[in-house]
Amino acid sequence: MPRKSFVPGAALLVTVALAAGLTGCSGGSATGTSGGDGKGGDATAASPSAQPGRYQTLPEACGLPSRGTLRTMLPGDDQQLSQADAQKIYGGRADITYDTDRRVGCQWTRETTAGTRHLTLDIQRVVSYNAAVSDDDRAQELYLGKEQAAKIPSAGSDTPSASASPKDAPKGQQKPSAGATDANGGQDAAAGGKKADGAAAATSPPATPSGSPSATPSDPTTGAGSPLAPRVLDGLGDAAFLNDQLITTDSGVHRDITVVFRTSNVIVTLTYDQWSTDKTQLPESQELQDKARSLAGELADSLSE
């Protein structure tokens, strides 16, 4: 039986046809895939990622206030402290957190015959996980939430000017006293990094005398029209406010001063309060506000270095 002849040209045509068919299938698949990805790519190109915040880490909170500032804010009864006692009081107690690059805090306490003073510091670094929202914008959202929760009058309202300072009180006006609530908010849920269960308690003032607290209905030193009333602050970070509350309990009275400010993507909450078992001796607002405001300025300068 005669053998069939091998035709190289025909084999070549078959090979080319098969390659073209495979390429067509592969190309069709790739085109379909790129069509879906293309839309996402176009959106990304049209909406570039927002800028990250200035801060990528946080400092150690207990080491931020100077020793001189702490001595002023936590006065004693003119008693001489041993080195160990001084370290215990001024060294502070650091809050326990899961991620010290996202949140840190510290608290200080000193008891005297004139009353107990507490100072707490909470520093939160905000990270936005939305490509369309910058870290700074997300931090501003959280800051405004704190300001609204504290019911701080907006600048330009009938209340004192946002730039008003306790030192600007009219001559002859009685020096007042004041207090503040802790406007500290929760950590950005999207960040995923949450404080330890014990950290929440750590950022609150230490244990205080028992009794049901209630805000004093009228405090003439911080009422509407007073330069010591809760207000927005100028010249502190990118945005700031001060809150002042006088609170009474069955066992005494305390005045709480809270200063909250934002600098870029970091929010600082400072709470300073004085307790007294003598309800006739109200903690002085101007002194506490001045000291809290001074420390806030020191912290803002330290963070900006």
Side-chain angles (χ1 to χ4, degrees):
M1 183 176 189
R3 299 168 64 183
K4 293 183 178 180
S5 301
F6 177 73
V7 184
L12 179 60
L13 290 175
V14 172
T15 302
V16 171
L18 288 174
L22 291 173
T23 302
C25 293
S26 175
S29 175
T31 302
T33 303
S34 64
D37 291 344
K39 295 181 180 179
D42 293 343
T44 302
S47 303
S49 297
Q51 290 295 319
R54 172 182 178 181
Y55 301 95
Q56 300 302 310
T57 60
L58 291 175
E60 195 275 313
C62 293
L64 283 178
S66 68
R67 183 60 64 93
T69 297
L70 291 173
R71 287 195 186 99
T72 300
M73 301 186 76
L74 304 170
D77 297 320
D78 296 327
Q79 76 241 33
Q80 295 296 322
L81 295 174
S82 66
Q83 185 175 356
D85 288 340
Q87 178 58 33
K88 181 178 179 181
I89 292 174
Y90 303 126
R93 184 170 70 255
D95 294 344
I96 301 173
T97 59
Y98 285 127
D99 187 351
T100 54
D101 281 336
R102 289 298 307 278
R103 197 162 203 154
V104 294
C106 191
Q107 53 187 294
W108 298 261
T109 301
R110 188 167 190 183
E111 297 180 3
T112 68
T113 56
T116 301
R117 296 202 186 196
H118 304 119
L119 172 64
T120 64
L121 181 60
D122 178 82
I123 306 175
Q124 176 186 3
R125 182 174 70 89
V126 179
V127 177
S128 171
Y129 288 85
N130 184 341
V133 180
S134 69
D135 292 348
D136 283 21
D137 288 343
R138 177 58 181 151
Q140 179 66 4
E141 291 175 4
L142 295 179
Y143 165 82
L144 289 175
K146 295 173 182 289
E147 184 178 306
Q148 293 168 1
K151 299 181 180 179
I152 304 299
S154 59
S157 62
D158 294 335
T159 53
S161 169
S163 59
S165 166
K167 297 179 181 179
D168 299 329
K171 294 182 179 180
Q173 176 176 318
Q174 181 182 4
K175 288 185 178 181
S177 19
T181 53
D182 182 1
N184 179 34
Q187 183 171 345
D188 184 0
K194 297 182 179 179
K195 296 167 59 179
D197 293 340
T203 55
S204 302
T208 50
S210 60
S212 301
S214 60
T216 303
S218 61
D219 184 2
T221 60
T222 58
S226 167
L228 295 170
R231 60 195 180 278
V232 172
L233 297 174
D234 285 339
L236 180 60
D238 297 317
F241 70 84
L242 180 149
N243 198 5
D244 186 324
Q245 285 189 334
L246 183 64
I247 300 174
T248 59
T249 68
D250 295 339
S251 56
V253 59
H254 62 100
R255 184 176 292 282
D256 301 339
I257 307 295
T258 298
V259 176
V260 179
F261 69 90
R262 178 185 72 82
T263 173
S264 185
N265 61 319
V266 164
I267 300 175
V268 177
T269 301
L270 181 164
T271 305
Y272 181 44
D273 64 75
Q274 179 179 357
W275 280 79
S276 175
T277 56
D278 185 353
K279 296 182 181 181
T280 64
Q281 298 296 322
L282 301 182
E284 187 177 345
S285 180
Q286 185 166 15
E287 178 211 350
L288 298 179
Q289 285 197 23
D290 283 348
K291 290 181 177 180
R293 177 64 180 81
S294 178
L295 174 57
E298 181 180 317
L299 297 175
D301 291 341
S302 179
L303 289 170
S304 298
E305 293 177 353

